[in-house]
Every structure is written in C-alpha cells, then in structure tokens.
Amino acid sequence: MTTTPVSASVSILLVDDQTERAAMVAAQLTAAGYNLLAQLSSAEGLLFQVEKHRPDIVLIDIESPDRDILESLSVINQHNPTPVAMFSARGGAEFITSAVEAGVSAYMAEGLSAERVAPAIEIAMAQFRSYQQLRQSLQRTQQQLDERKIIERAKGLLMARKNISEQAAHQTLRTLAMNSNSTMRNVAEQIVAHLQASIR
C-alpha cells in the first residue's frame, strides 16, 4: 500500500530576492513534491498574491527585510491568516519579535537553503495551527463573557423595571428567546436597547 507524501498536498508561495538561490529552492521544492504556486522576487504585491493563490504557506527569504513587509504580513494575518516561514541572517532581536507579532510562524535566523526548507515548513505549519487554536479559544471565551455581561445587564433592567426577582428575570429572557426562536443574547440585547432608550 502506497501513501501520498505530506508535501504533495502543501502549496507554497515563495518570496526570494536572490535569483540563483530562488531557482535552487524552487527546484528543491518541486523535487520534494511541494506545489509551488508562485515565485516573487520581492514582497511587493504580496497581499494580492496571497489572496489570489491562497497558499498553504508563504516562504520568505529577503536579504534585508523591512517594516513594509511586516505591515503586509500583519494585514494577511488579520484578514487571511496563512503560515509564514521567514529566513534572514540580518534580523536582530527587535525585528524578530516584530516579525512574530506580524504573523510569522517560524523565523530562521539564517538564510534559506535546500536542506532547511522541509523542516521550516513543518515547524511553521505546526506553530500556525497551535496559534490559530489558541486564538479561536480566546475568541470563544471573549464571546461567552460578552454574552454573560449583556444577559446580566438585561436581567438587572428587568428586575428594576418590573420589580421581579433575578430568577423571574432569567425565566422571562428564556421564555422570550423560546417564543421568538432566538438566543438569550439576542433577546437580552433587544431588551437593553429598548429599556435604555425609554430611560432617556
């Protein structure tokens, strides 16, 4: 029984400003079974290329990375999160920190070479998955906290306006939600908006 190598399902966008090195890395990626979607000689147009090709990972090896590329990566991280592996022997500690904050999944403080490609891809994709799971968990927690706050606010307004107990206010929200085929949060938001408007 044969198995398909992991590399066969990984699509890559390569950014490298050294022509000879880029050609060598591109050949290595293709030989290893990776799907090389596009090859850029600079970070100019990176946002467009990521949106166009939707790669599984972006590999970046630029001689002198600057703030412009970090700004592009930050936008990508916000709107179209994608694993990024960056190679550079010139980036200092401050730049590396900024790169990670901008969305770089793996930063290699050395130039890109054929033998470093596969490990870098594995590290970057693993780090990216871990980070995305953490971010989603934090988002769910924040949503739950926001929901609890608005429900508590609505209950407090109902208790004050109708002179009822907390349990009765909670039951009122549940009943309204069931009758309107909605969620308690949506009902709570409507009640808060209505009662606060009437107070004004």
Side-chain angles (χ1 to χ4, degrees), residues 81-146:
T82 305
V84 176
M86 179 177 283
F87 300 79
S88 179
R90 295 191 177 184
E94 183 179 349
F95 182 84
I96 293 173
T97 299
S98 298
V100 172
E101 290 175 349
V104 172
S105 311
Y107 192 103
M108 309 297 175
E110 51 193 2
L112 179 58
S113 64
E115 62 271 16
R116 298 189 187 114
V117 171
I121 290 173
E122 292 178 10
I123 292 171
M125 296 188 73
Q127 292 276 45
F128 176 80
R129 285 192 295 268
S130 178
Y131 175 75
Q132 290 301 310
Q133 289 171 358
L134 176 60
R135 184 159 77 171
Q136 291 167 5
S137 177
L138 290 174
Q139 288 175 341
R140 286 193 297 269
T141 299
Q142 186 60 51
Q143 290 171 352
Q144 291 169 356
L145 289 174
D146 292 344

Side-chain angles (χ1 to χ4, degrees), residues 56-93:
D56 292 321
I57 185 169
V58 177
L59 297 183
I60 299 175
D61 189 10
I62 293 181
E63 197 69 21
S64 299
D66 55 23
R67 293 287 169 181
D68 289 340
I69 191 171
L70 295 189
E71 290 178 5
S72 295
L73 292 176
S74 182
V75 173
I76 291 170
N77 188 42
Q78 291 177 19
H79 300 287
N80 189 17
T82 305
V84 176
M86 179 177 283
F87 300 79
S88 179
R90 295 191 177 184

Side-chain angles (χ1 to χ4, degrees), residues 3-12 28-37 56-57 118 121-122 125:
T3 58
T4 302
V6 176
S7 60
S9 61
V10 177
S11 58
I12 296 174
Q28 178 73 14
L29 290 171
T30 302
Y34 292 101
N35 178 18
L36 184 59
L37 298 174
D56 292 321
I57 185 169
I121 290 173
E122 292 178 10
M125 296 188 73

